Amino acid sequence: QRYVDEVLAHPAVLERWPAPAPLRVRPRRGATAAHYERVGDHAAIAVPQGRAAWALRELVVLHEIAHHLTESDPPHGPEFVVTFGELAATVMGPEVAYVLRVVYAKEGVR
């Protein structure tokens, strides 16, 4: 939760996405997926508990935050891809965004 709050309060994030709504982190029972959910005005990232440390990796968490900042349809469409890349560049650095673009291009993601 602390990391999500810090990302959403980061000056460069606020410059690009002014006044994002609060985003809560909650535990999830299953160990195979993390996901973003919005019910009305309440948004959350659900992450597996226990041995699912993969779900707490920075890129996984940023992926879910990108859903919060985009809310695009389809959920992993072009608008999401751009938002995720911009968020990764802002928080982790332009090299990470470059690697994402290379991998996306190799896999045919648009």
Side-chain angles (χ1 to χ4, degrees):
Q1 183 66 63
R2 187 177 74 235
Y3 178 75
V4 169
D5 293 342
E6 288 174 2
V7 167
L8 292 177
H10 190 287
V13 170
L14 290 173
E15 183 177 320
R16 172 60 181 87
W17 297 279
L23 180 59
R24 186 173 66 90
V25 178
R26 72 166 185 83
R28 180 180 195 278
R29 284 190 211 173
T32 60
H35 73 268
Y36 172 76
E37 60 195 23
R38 178 179 285 282
V39 179
D41 291 338
H42 302 284
I45 296 172
V47 293
Q49 293 181 299
R51 298 179 184 234
W54 64 267
L56 299 178
R57 290 189 179 121
E58 191 168 15
L59 275 175
V60 173
V61 175
L62 289 177
H63 173 104
E64 301 307 334
I65 294 172
H67 281 297
H68 183 62
L69 297 173
T70 308
E71 296 197 34
S72 63
D73 189 28
H76 293 110
E79 185 181 348
F80 171 81
V81 170
V82 169
T83 300
F84 183 36
E86 288 179 15
L87 184 62
T90 300
V91 175
M92 297 180 74
E95 299 84 0
V96 175
Y98 174 75
V99 170
L100 281 174
R101 285 192 307 274
V102 168
V103 171
Y104 283 167
K106 181 180 177 194
E107 297 300 321
V109 174
R110 303 251 181 247

